[in-house]
């Protein structure tokens, strides 16, 4: 049976498939012990949202748990304006719109639409410089790529000897001290 994929790990998987195991392994450990500053800031931003501090409007879902049976995805949305049909994911800082950010939004989009909500706008919001990035809704081509990506995620085997670490990524990886594949 296929495992449910956590939406929060999609970006990590693109960075390095092996990192998702550390992400999940250390998720319940005191985060200050292993997270670098940007990750801590992100966590704090999301904690505020999870606790409902962003808005009390009934028109807004925030930090709501979602899942997709079709894609075996589970996680939380960031902010969804129901009447505006607008889904937003906030980041502490966006220096570049990574594919993983887009796939996180796609995943949330598919969960919400499967739950019966209408979503017409996808946005990324960079909090420290107040920039908004509009993301196109998935089309046939991008859905196919997203599905292939989820399939690769489901079937990734960390013990496969063909896995080759990328030294550039390892140098910037917060799990490098824990990973036996790290090349630094
Ligand atoms: S240390 Fe390198 S191989 Fe290990 S998870 Fe990080 S990027 Fe991947």
């Amino acid at each position: 049976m296929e495992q449910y994929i956590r939406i929060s790990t999609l970006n990590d998987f693109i960075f390095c498939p092996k990192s998702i195991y550390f992400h999940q392994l250390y998720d319940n450990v005191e985060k200050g012990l292993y997270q670098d500053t940007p990750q801590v800031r992100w966590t704090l931003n999301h904690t505020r949202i999870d606790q409902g501090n962003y808005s009390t409007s009934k028109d807004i879902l925030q930090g709501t748990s979602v899942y997709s049976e079709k894609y075996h995805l589970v996680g939380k949305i960031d902010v969804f304006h129901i009447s505006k049909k607008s889904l937003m994911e906030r980041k502490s800082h966006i220096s570049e719109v990574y594919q993983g950010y887009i796939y996180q939004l796609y995943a949330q989009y598919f969960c919400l639409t499967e739950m019966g909500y209408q979503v017409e706008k996808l946005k990324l919001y960079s909090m420290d410089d107040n920039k908004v990035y509009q993301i196109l809704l998935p089309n046939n081509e991008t859905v196919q790529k997203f599905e292939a990506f989820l399939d690769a995620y489901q079937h990734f085997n960390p013990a496969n000897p063909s896995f080759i670490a990328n030294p550039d990524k390892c140098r910037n990886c917060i799990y490098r001290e824990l990973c036996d594949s790290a090349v630094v």
Side-chain angles (χ1 to χ4, degrees):
M1 196 178 82
E2 289 192 334
Q3 300 286 318
Y4 271 75
I5 293 175
R6 292 171 57 187
I7 295 170
S8 62
T9 65
L10 296 180
N11 194 46
D12 278 5
F13 187 82
I14 290 179
F15 176 75
C16 172
K18 218 162 175 175
S19 71
I20 59 171
Y21 293 92
F22 299 110
H23 183 121
Q24 292 176 28
L25 191 63
Y26 288 89
D27 225 26
N28 294 324
V29 176
E30 176 55 52
K31 290 187 165 54
L33 292 176
Y34 68 93
Q35 284 186 319
D36 285 347
T37 309
Q39 280 90 346
V40 172
R41 278 210 309 270
W42 185 89
T43 303
L44 289 172
N45 292 337
H46 277 256
T47 302
R48 280 203 294 275
I49 294 164
D50 290 351
Q51 292 171 349
N53 293 334
Y54 178 71
S55 167
T56 54
S57 168
K58 285 193 172 66
D59 191 39
I60 294 175
L61 299 182
Q62 51 194 13
T64 304
S65 295
V66 293
Y67 75 98
S68 163
E69 212 168 310
K70 177 177 178 184
Y71 288 115
H72 285 83
L73 291 163
V74 64
K76 288 186 176 185
I77 55 150
D78 192 346
V79 183
F80 178 53
H81 290 253
I82 299 169
S83 60
K84 293 179 182 172
K85 302 172 185 171
S86 176
L87 174 63
M88 181 168 66
E89 171 75 16
R90 308 195 301 175
K91 304 284 185 194
S92 293
H93 176 70
I94 298 176
S95 55
E96 184 179 340
V97 176
Y98 295 111
Q99 191 62 46
Y101 294 170
I102 295 173
Y103 280 175
Q104 279 181 336
L105 269 177
Y106 280 8
Q108 295 171 17
Y109 165 86
F110 285 121
C111 290
L112 282 171
T113 51
E114 204 174 298
M115 291 164 76
Y117 290 101
Q118 280 190 300
V119 185
E120 293 182 355
K121 293 178 198 146
L122 304 180
K123 297 176 189 173
L124 290 167
Y125 177 52
S126 177
M127 295 175 74
D128 67 353
D129 54 6
N130 200 30
K131 283 188 181 164
V132 176
Y133 300 84
Q134 308 282 347
I135 306 299
L136 293 175
L137 291 174
N139 57 31
N140 285 345
E141 187 186 341
T142 52
V143 168
Q144 274 182 18
K145 287 183 178 169
F146 181 66
E147 290 176 350
F149 165 74
L150 293 180
D151 191 57
Y153 189 125
Q154 285 284 7
H155 297 100
F156 175 70
N157 176 4
N160 189 329
S162 66
F163 174 79
I164 298 172
N166 178 334
D168 290 337
K169 293 192 172 181
C170 293
R171 269 191 288 277
N172 292 308
C173 178
I174 59 173
Y175 307 117
R176 62 185 176 275
E177 302 298 336
L178 312 163
C179 177
D180 58 5
S181 300
V183 181
V184 287

